[in-house]
Amino acid sequence: GTTTIQVSFDLNPVLGMDNFTFLGFRNPKERDDANWQVRTLLARIHNNRTRDAAPAFFGKLKAEFSFNENVIISEENLSLMSKPFFTDLKHVLAGHRVIVLVGYRRYYEWIASVYNQIHKNKRHDELFVDWYRKRRRSEHVYSNIVYHEMKKHFDHVELINLHSPSTTDLMAYIYCDILPNAIQSCQWHKEQQRRRLDTIANPSVPTWPFAIAAQALSRGLTTATNTNNITLLSQEVKTFSTEINYSLPLKCISRMEQEAILKHSLQYEKQLLPEFFDSQDGETELRKGFSTFVDEGKFCSVDAARVLQSKEWRAFFSNSLPQLLPKIPKSEVSLTQKTTINVNAARKVKRGKGARKMRKKMLSDKWQFVICTRIRDEALYLREWIEYHRMIGFNAFLLMNDGSSDDTQCIVDDYAKEGIVIRIPTDIGFDAPKLNED
């Protein structure tokens, strides 16, 4: 539920009226500093990247208290911090009432979610069974460890049970029941719900079509030459599977491994929420939910290697790419076939190193649907954002990295090598005198 919480706080226009500041996705606009965002600082502290990250984080927290009495931080890296960090944090928060909320999600759901989140962002075709068997427990910290660790440092630690009827609407529970005097935010969220404006903050994305297409490329069954073509091909893979009503072969964890996951799930819920575990919504519902998970193949992955043993699929890959990526004669290409975003973005490139070459790339005939935007500290979501827009038809991106201090540039460079992203230098001469001004 962390992303749901972060998105809601980030979009909430009345949070300030309730005398709250949210530090999570990005800093308040009027005090924004790309180099010292809380999310970035916590990542640096966790990864031991820089010695000045911790003092900068504590300094920013102190500064925020001069603007608002109440500060909210929602960030996954908080659960991974060391004891010295929390010792220093307690000194900074001296005199304030600290409320720590730790989300509880049943272990079997959580372990599947961790796998999906990792492989969705990295576009990885690793099977769940292979990942589960080789993963290191220290890389992913479950709620029981976080909860007990937080109780060592703070007096008011609450476990939010995401399976309780009271948290069916998670944000209503937080705004209306947890945050002190957040009256405006409570009313705003209820209005959002009434008008059905809330959307899924972190939707699941099926990775099996990409895995099958990538496997076909590695076996030389397709003439696709880059990830852009593979993504287009994966759309056709999904369509073709539906058309022929193909039953996808799965590779799953063993029965013994399933029983181990169920055992951990029962053990953790009984340990953390004994009263709920004994209720009608507890153990019985956990076992039902787990059985449904198994029946739906949530601990399985499509076995792409077996898929490609089928004559139908091999024939599909040998015939699909030429139809998927037709060659348009140059004489038939007109300006109306090029996206307005593409042309207007090219016109803005006035001068600077490599400007002429970039304009030529931006107006290339093969770029029919292009997105041009500025990005900053979006490493957590950038891959997912690019892959989503490629799936719905965009085939190129013009990205200006405006002073990111996380791994955004590394992701941009990866896609640039594949010819999917064109990197726009920040000194190329755009109309705005300063990029960090709205």
Side-chain angles (χ1 to χ4, degrees):
T2 310
T3 305
T4 299
I5 294 170
Q6 292 169 341
V7 169
S8 182
F9 282 142
D10 199 44
L11 297 177
N12 185 345
V14 298
L15 196 62
M17 297 181 186
D18 290 324
N19 201 20
F20 283 95
T21 294
F22 170 56
L23 301 179
F25 265 2
R26 56 193 90 251
N27 299 328
K29 292 181 180 179
E30 64 273 16
R31 302 185 292 283
D32 198 9
D33 181 350
N35 293 321
W36 299 111
Q37 291 198 24
V38 165
R39 184 177 67 184
T40 304
L41 290 171
L42 289 173
R44 287 179 179 177
I45 296 170
H46 171 58
N47 296 320
N48 295 317
R49 290 183 184 174
T50 56
R51 294 182 178 179
D52 60 345
F57 169 77
F58 295 129
K60 175 165 285 296
L61 193 55
K62 289 179 180 178
E64 285 305 320
F65 285 125
S66 65
F67 295 99
N68 270 308
E69 294 179 3
N70 307 308
V71 174
I72 301 170
I73 300 176
S74 177
E75 171 52 41
E76 291 89 335
N77 280 306
L78 275 175
S79 64
L80 303 173
M81 294 301 169
S82 63
K83 183 178 179 180
F85 171 85
F86 286 111
T87 301
D88 294 338
L89 180 61
K90 288 172 68 175
H91 289 303
V92 174
L93 298 177
H96 292 84
R97 182 190 179 207
V98 180
I99 304 175
V100 181
L101 306 179
V102 180
Y104 167 74
R105 189 177 186 178
R106 283 168 175 156
Y107 181 76
Y108 68 86
E109 289 187 7
W110 175 81
I111 196 70
S113 176
V114 170
Y115 167 81
N116 289 330
Q117 190 67 26
I118 292 172
H119 294 77
K120 176 174 64 175
N121 289 338
K122 293 185 177 180
R123 308 180 346 268
H124 206 297
D125 59 352
E126 182 181 34
L127 300 180
F128 176 84
V129 60
D130 296 330
W131 170 81
Y132 176 76
R133 289 172 181 171
K134 73 179 184 182
R135 72 188 183 94
R136 292 193 303 241
R137 299 298 193 275
S138 59
E139 292 178 345
H140 314 291
V141 182
Y142 186 56
S143 301
N144 63 325
I145 297 176
V146 179
Y147 178 69
H148 291 300
E149 189 63 30
M150 291 296 172
K151 287 181 72 68
K152 294 178 182 178
H153 302 289
F154 301 102
D155 296 328
H156 192 137
V157 181
E158 179 170 342
L159 198 65
I160 298 182
N161 181 6
L162 299 180
H163 305 282
S164 170
S166 63
T167 59
T168 301
D169 185 342
L170 177 60
M171 292 314 301
Y173 177 69
I174 291 177
Y175 283 131
C176 306
D177 298 333
I178 299 296
L179 296 185
N181 301 317
I183 299 173
Q184 302 278 359
S185 295
C186 178
Q187 293 176 346
W188 169 78
H189 176 75
K190 288 181 178 179
E191 179 64 16
Q192 294 286 98
Q193 289 293 86
R194 186 184 68 80
R195 296 167 58 190
R196 297 185 177 180
L197 294 179
D198 283 356
T199 58
I200 299 175
N202 198 8
S204 298
V205 176
T207 59
W208 63 264
F210 185 91
I212 293 175
Q215 184 76 224
L217 175 61
S218 67
R219 291 172 174 242
L221 298 179
T222 175
T223 55
T225 57
N226 56 45
T227 307
N228 188 29
N229 290 347
I230 288 294
T231 302
L232 293 173
L233 193 56
S234 67
Q235 299 174 44
E236 296 301 308
V237 165
K238 191 174 183 179
T239 301
F240 180 68
S241 178
T242 303
E243 289 176 351
I244 67 174
N245 195 26
Y246 183 75
S247 180
L248 295 166
L250 301 177
K251 188 173 182 180
C252 308
I253 60 176
S254 68
R255 183 65 177 268
M256 185 178 296
E257 289 168 327
Q258 291 178 17
E259 292 176 353
I261 292 177
L262 175 59
K263 179 181 178 180
H264 288 311
S265 301
L266 293 167
Q267 174 186 338
Y268 291 142
E269 186 158 304
K270 187 174 183 178
Q271 175 189 7
L272 292 170
L273 300 163
E275 292 184 6
F276 178 78
F277 181 78
D278 293 333
S279 72
Q280 61 181 5
D281 297 312
E283 181 181 2
T284 301
E285 290 302 314
L286 187 155
R287 291 183 180 274
K288 287 181 181 179
F290 180 81
S291 297
T292 301
F293 243 58
V294 173
D295 293 341
E296 293 178 351
K298 294 295 181 67
F299 302 128
C300 305
S301 303
V302 172
D303 192 342
R306 285 181 58 194
V307 170
L308 297 179
Q309 293 175 5
S310 164
K311 293 181 179 180
E312 289 178 300
W313 280 98
R314 295 173 77 90
F316 162 77
F317 281 108
S318 64
N319 298 324
S320 61
L321 195 64
Q323 300 172 13
L324 187 64
L325 302 172
K327 182 69 176 179
I328 303 175
K330 204 166 188 179
S331 60
E332 297 181 12
V333 179
S334 65
L335 280 176
T336 58
Q337 291 174 286
K338 301 181 179 73
T339 176
T340 303
I341 298 175
N342 190 16
V343 176
N344 289 342
R347 286 173 179 166
K348 286 187 176 182
V349 182
K350 297 179 179 179
R351 59 186 179 274
K353 186 177 180 181
R356 183 176 300 176
K357 183 178 180 180
M358 186 176 295
R359 285 185 58 137
K360 186 176 180 181
K361 283 186 177 181
M362 291 162 69
L363 295 176
S364 170
D365 290 347
K366 69 178 181 179
W367 284 22
Q368 296 178 357
F369 297 96
V370 184
I371 292 179
C372 179
T373 188
R374 183 184 73 177
I375 54 176
R376 178 193 291 174
D377 288 332
E378 301 292 348
L380 186 60
Y381 306 103
L382 185 56
R383 287 190 189 276
E384 180 180 347
W385 179 81
I386 291 176
E387 289 304 321
Y388 168 76
H389 285 89
R390 290 171 69 187
M391 290 290 287
I392 63 175
F394 289 90
N395 51 17
F397 301 81
L398 313 178
L399 302 181
M400 174 179 287
N401 184 7
D402 184 15
S404 295
S405 53
D406 58 6
D407 293 331
T408 293
Q409 188 60 48
C410 296
I411 298 173
V412 170
D413 291 342
D414 288 345
Y415 281 101
K417 292 175 184 177
E418 299 174 9
I420 298 164
V421 165
I422 292 293
R423 296 164 292 193
I424 305 177
T426 55
D427 60 349
I428 204 165
F430 277 67
D431 295 335
K434 291 183 179 180
L435 291 174
N436 58 1
E437 290 184 355
D438 293 331

